[in-house]
Amino acid sequence: MATVIEGKGGFRAWLNKRMPVDQFVADQLTGYYAPKNFNVWYFFGSLALLVFVMQIVTGIFVTMHFKPGEATAWNSVQVMVREVPYMWLIQPMHAVGASFFFVVVYLHMARAMLYGSYKAPRELLWIIGMLIYLALMAEAFMGYVLPNGNMSYWGAQVIINLFGTIPGIGPDLVEWIRGDYGIGDATLNRFFSLHVIALPFIIALLVMLHLVALRQVGSNNPDGIEIKEKLGKDGLPIDGVPFHPYYTVKDIVGVGLFLTLFAVVVFFAPTFGGLFMEPPNFEPANPVSTPDHIAPVWYFTPYYAILRAVPDQKIGALLMAASVVAFLFLPWLDRAKNKSIRYRGAASKILLGTFFITFVVLMWLGLKPADGIYVLLARIFTTLYFLFFILLPFVSKADGNGPVPDRVTYHAH
Amino acid sequence: MSDHAATDAVPEVDESRRKFLIAATAGTGAVGAILTAVPFVASWNPSESARAAGLPTEVDLSKMEAGQMTTHFWRKKQIYVVKRTPEMLASLAGHDGELKDPESKESDQPDYAKNAQRALNPDVLVLIAVCTHLGCLPKTRFTPNDATVMANWPGGFFCPCHGSKFDLAGRVFEGSPASLNLAVPPYTLEGDKLTIGVDANQKGNA
Ligand code: HEM
Ligand code: FES
């Protein structure tokens, strides 16, 4: 794209001859044009990257004191936070970081749904994002099992047994995943290996592919119109600004706000009222005592509510799987001409708004016991959840085709 | 070598031979990769020591009173052993219509427990205490007519996780998320000696 600043000599020239540093900066940062009308929703990609790095760094330090295994895991966590200097801070940073990761990723996904960012030509970008999301769920689940608290134990029991519902191979598969007849040393150690090596590596790779795909098609924006279609005389998008310095500076503001909020939670409310760290997990695993009411951490509860809403094991597990996988098909379920919700009719707005509310209500229901009114509500909202995916093709086709502005809407600050 | 330099003519490429060689190389490589995956995948199966720890568990029933339940471990799973009273056995009748699998056709049990009482000897109930929904520990709710469980409750087990209900033979009620009756492990019964994990068929019925 842009031309490389020729180094006058010295180290810079020596370096660039051997590695295209300046070329990379010119192509990817100063020469990469992003739409000028980004809003706060566009913070969350860079924030996801930040949390990922934070999890890796805090994770490296937690691993230094953690002893995986049935007999040692629980104690090693107690010892590290009580006796190792500053681990009272670093360990909760890692635990709270997991919840923040999901806050950021859910908002990042909501943005894509608001502005139709999953639509052509960004289908692959969205699918890679979904693969990141799936890998992240596996990573978070295994991390939660590692300390071998009582909720770790019973949560793992419930989740691993979900695989037992697969016809034919189910029971053998469950034994294979655990490596024992119940959750034991074998299970905890393989989860440790996956949590610390395999999955972070896979996520890092997927994030890289996510960014490569993003650079290829360019960012969408709140208006959902392609800036590449309006080029100036210089061949650059009229409605674009160089990523650096414009968006690096904007993202730094997001980072500042985010870290402030993060610090407040880590210092003053690390358990977040039992949401980020659940009370039963302050007791060691006890195979003879199921907590009175088992709930996963908040970021899994929408799917958990769907699982429990169904009075049949296999269908429940199937619907739960479907409720996650459904997102993969959004690029093709959405048949509107326009991308952004701004240029769609009232029906589309109500549909998407209802879906967001449904997701949050299911999240709440998944934290409640599965009896009485909650079961009924879970059934109603599960129906609404799937109705979104069923109605989307028709609603989007019918009212997503109105006029869109010629240029992005933008007011100078 | 010098031949090439001497003639300009590029020898004709034998496309079909090239295709065959590519396919053969790729095919052999793929088979090798799959075979190499076998040890890695198999390494996740239970180890010898995990299998050895799954040895049979013995229970002395003489110390149990009628109506009492004791819990034991076998293969990392809790086992419930209930010495059923005549009233408890009577409570099994009359609600077949409310059960998902009253005759235990789909459920998991040795064939000597595939009967109305789901037991070798009706007085002794042996169950794997793993909810067939998703594996929580069902709690005992032996008192009949406990309305907090459900109306006309005959007595049985209640799973706190997602509310599955089982009668005193571990048979699951309609409306539960669990679909199968609680599993019965293989066991033998010789007088008051219960051995969990040794199949009565293989020992010659006790
Ligand atoms: C570790 C997790 C993730 C990281 C580090 C990450 C990173 C990023 C970054 C830096 C951007 C550009 C900045 C922005 O648009 O906010 C972006 C864009 C995007 N991401 Fe992600 N992402 C992650 C997860 C996901 C997930 C789970 C999805 C969806 C399932 C997703 C879908 C998208 C889409 C569709 C865009 C383009 C949005 C647009 O241009 O309007 N990403 N991502
Ligand atoms: S695990 Fe018992 S009802 Fe779900």
Side-chain angles (χ1 to χ4, degrees):
Chain A
M1 226 181 261
T3 41
V4 174
I5 325 99
E6 287 294 338
K8 290 177 200 70
F11 178 68
R12 186 114 178 248
W14 183 91
L15 183 66
N16 274 292
K17 234 178 179 163
R18 286 154 183 84
M19 197 163 67
V21 177
D22 286 354
Q23 184 71 50
F24 181 83
V25 171
D27 288 348
Q28 302 301 325
L29 300 170
T30 53
Y32 172 72
Y33 278 69
K36 64 182 178 186
N37 59 332
F38 278 178
N39 54 18
V40 285
W41 286 100
Y42 281 77
F43 276 143
F44 299 110
S46 62
L47 288 182
L49 211 53
L50 172 72
V51 194
F52 183 52
V53 173
M54 278 168 46
Q55 288 304 89
I56 300 273
V57 174
T58 51
I60 288 172
F61 282 81
V62 170
T63 306
M64 291 174 191
H65 306 284
F66 181 73
K67 301 194 179 101
E70 226 176 351
T72 50
W74 168 262
N75 253 354
S76 72
V77 178
Q78 303 304 311
V79 169
M80 89 169 82
V81 295
R82 282 166 222 270
E83 299 185 12
V84 182
Y86 281 101
M87 284 310 288
W88 60 264
L89 175 61
I90 298 171
Q91 194 273 340
M93 276 175 79
H94 194 71
V96 170
S99 273
F100 269 80
F101 210 152
F102 279 90
V103 171
V104 166
V105 163
Y106 278 138
L107 292 171
H108 187 71
M109 290 167 74
R111 182 280 318 269
M113 292 175 76
L114 279 172
Y115 301 142
S117 302
Y118 48 70
K119 287 178 71 72
R122 298 183 184 80
E123 306 96 316
L124 191 59
L125 178 60
W126 170 259
I127 286 174
I128 296 169
M130 274 306 292
L131 295 181
I132 297 177
Y133 178 55
L134 294 177
L136 203 59
M137 293 209 280
E139 174 75 354
F141 164 66
M142 293 189 189
Y144 194 76
V145 173
L146 287 182
N148 206 25
N150 208 25
M151 197 61 115
S152 303
Y153 180 89
W154 289 100
Q157 179 86 347
V158 168
I159 302 296
I160 296 175
N161 275 315
L162 277 175
F163 292 93
T165 62
I166 299 171
I169 58 166
D172 290 332
L173 184 63
V174 168
E175 217 155 83
W176 180 78
I177 293 172
R178 288 190 303 230
D180 203 335
Y181 302 114
I183 290 162
D185 247 9
T187 327
L188 293 178
N189 280 283
R190 68 187 50 177
F191 279 16
F192 181 65
S193 165
L194 296 175
H195 181 81
V196 171
I197 304 174
L199 283 163
F201 193 75
I202 290 170
I203 294 172
L205 194 78
L206 287 169
V207 168
M208 209 183 73
L209 293 178
H210 193 62
L211 295 180
V212 171
L214 176 76
R215 287 315 194 232
Q216 177 69 14
V217 292
S219 280
N220 184 30
N221 62 73
D223 285 309
I225 48 186
E226 297 296 334
I227 60 164
K228 282 183 184 168
E229 284 166 12
K230 288 270 176 314
L231 300 183
K233 285 194 202 69
D234 53 3
L236 296 168
I238 309 177
D239 283 329
V241 288
F243 182 80
H244 179 74
Y246 291 93
Y247 282 128
T248 40
V249 169
K250 174 183 182 252
D251 283 345
I252 287 172
V253 177
V255 167
L257 292 172
F258 174 85
L259 288 179
T260 308
L261 201 66
F262 184 72
V264 168
V265 174
V266 168
F267 283 116
F268 298 108
T271 70
F272 215 68
L275 270 185
F276 289 2
M277 301 178 196
E278 298 172 288
N281 237 17
F282 288 97
E283 284 167 37
N286 184 353
V288 301
S289 154
T290 306
D292 270 343
H293 136 238
I294 292 203
V297 196
W298 67 271
Y299 39 78
F300 291 137
T301 48
Y303 308 118
Y304 192 61
I306 291 174
L307 171 77
R308 295 191 308 183
V310 186
D312 179 276
Q313 182 202 32
K314 287 201 166 58
I315 299 175
L318 201 70
L319 276 192
M320 181 190 196
S323 63
V324 185
V325 172
F327 288 106
L328 276 171
F329 298 97
L330 275 184
W332 297 277
L333 290 176
D334 185 341
R335 298 196 293 168
K337 185 166 74 62
N338 301 339
K339 294 194 187 81
S340 173
I341 194 74
R342 287 185 181 174
Y343 308 110
R344 297 192 190 203
S348 286
K349 287 177 180 150
I350 292 169
L351 189 68
L352 187 59
T354 311
F355 179 74
F356 286 161
I357 294 169
T358 301
F359 196 79
V360 175
V361 172
L362 284 172
M363 195 178 268
W364 171 72
L365 285 169
L367 292 164
K368 294 279 157 198
D371 49 34
I373 183 78
Y374 298 124
V375 177
L376 179 68
L377 284 174
R379 290 185 183 154
I380 294 171
F381 281 93
T382 298
T383 312
L384 282 176
Y385 184 98
F386 287 103
L387 221 47
F388 167 75
F389 293 97
I390 294 166
L391 292 180
L392 183 63
F394 307 103
V395 174
S396 57
K397 177 113 195 183
D399 81 344
N401 311 309
V404 294
D406 200 34
R407 302 265 310 266
V408 303
T409 40
Y410 173 78
H411 312 284
H413 302 292
Chain B
M1 281 259 168
S2 52
D3 276 6
H4 280 276
T7 59
D8 281 350
V10 181
E12 188 109 340
V13 174
D14 184 344
E15 286 292 344
S16 74
R17 183 184 148 101
R18 181 173 284 184
K19 266 191 195 138
F20 172 78
L21 287 173
I22 291 174
T25 313
T28 314
V31 170
I34 291 168
L35 288 179
T36 312
V38 169
F40 290 90
V41 172
S43 75
W44 268 33
N45 281 318
S47 66
E48 289 309 322
S49 57
R51 285 185 205 281
L55 288 178
T57 300
E58 286 191 6
V59 181
D60 181 3
L61 297 175
S62 66
K63 300 201 173 67
M64 282 176 73
E65 298 195 9
Q68 199 192 353
M69 183 179 95
T70 53
T71 61
H72 310 271
F73 266 99
W74 174 67
R75 291 195 164 184
K76 290 208 161 232
K77 294 182 181 78
Q78 263 206 93
I79 306 292
Y80 287 168
V81 177
V82 187
K83 229 181 193 180
R84 286 183 289 200
T85 61
E87 296 80 54
M88 284 172 147
L89 285 168
S91 81
L92 297 179
H95 56 250
D96 277 15
E98 297 167 49
L99 300 174
K100 284 193 178 179
D101 187 15
E103 288 162 32
S104 300
K105 284 196 181 119
E106 312 288 327
S107 304
D108 187 17
Q109 66 268 311
D111 52 13
Y112 43 85
K114 196 170 177 174
N115 47 41
Q117 294 83 22
R118 301 192 75 224
L120 202 53
N121 168 352
D123 294 343
V124 182
L125 174 68
V126 185
L127 291 176
I128 297 181
V130 173
C131 179
T132 53
H133 181 224
L134 293 172
C136 289
L137 201 62
K139 303 206 164 174
T140 55
R141 289 285 185 280
F142 286 178
T143 324
N145 299 317
D146 181 346
T148 61
V149 185
M150 68 178 206
N152 299 325
W153 177 242
F157 305 90
F158 173 77
C159 181
C161 287
H162 319 103
S164 286
K165 302 176 190 78
F166 307 88
D167 72 3
L168 275 164
R171 295 179 300 174
V172 65
F173 280 92
E174 285 290 354
S176 304
S179 304
L180 296 178
N181 300 337
L182 292 175
V184 178
Y187 63 91
T188 51
L189 203 53
E190 289 160 325
D192 272 335
K193 195 176 116 201
L194 167 69
T195 314
I196 301 161
V198 176
D199 201 66
N201 282 340
Q202 276 145 35
K203 272 199 102 175
N205 223 326

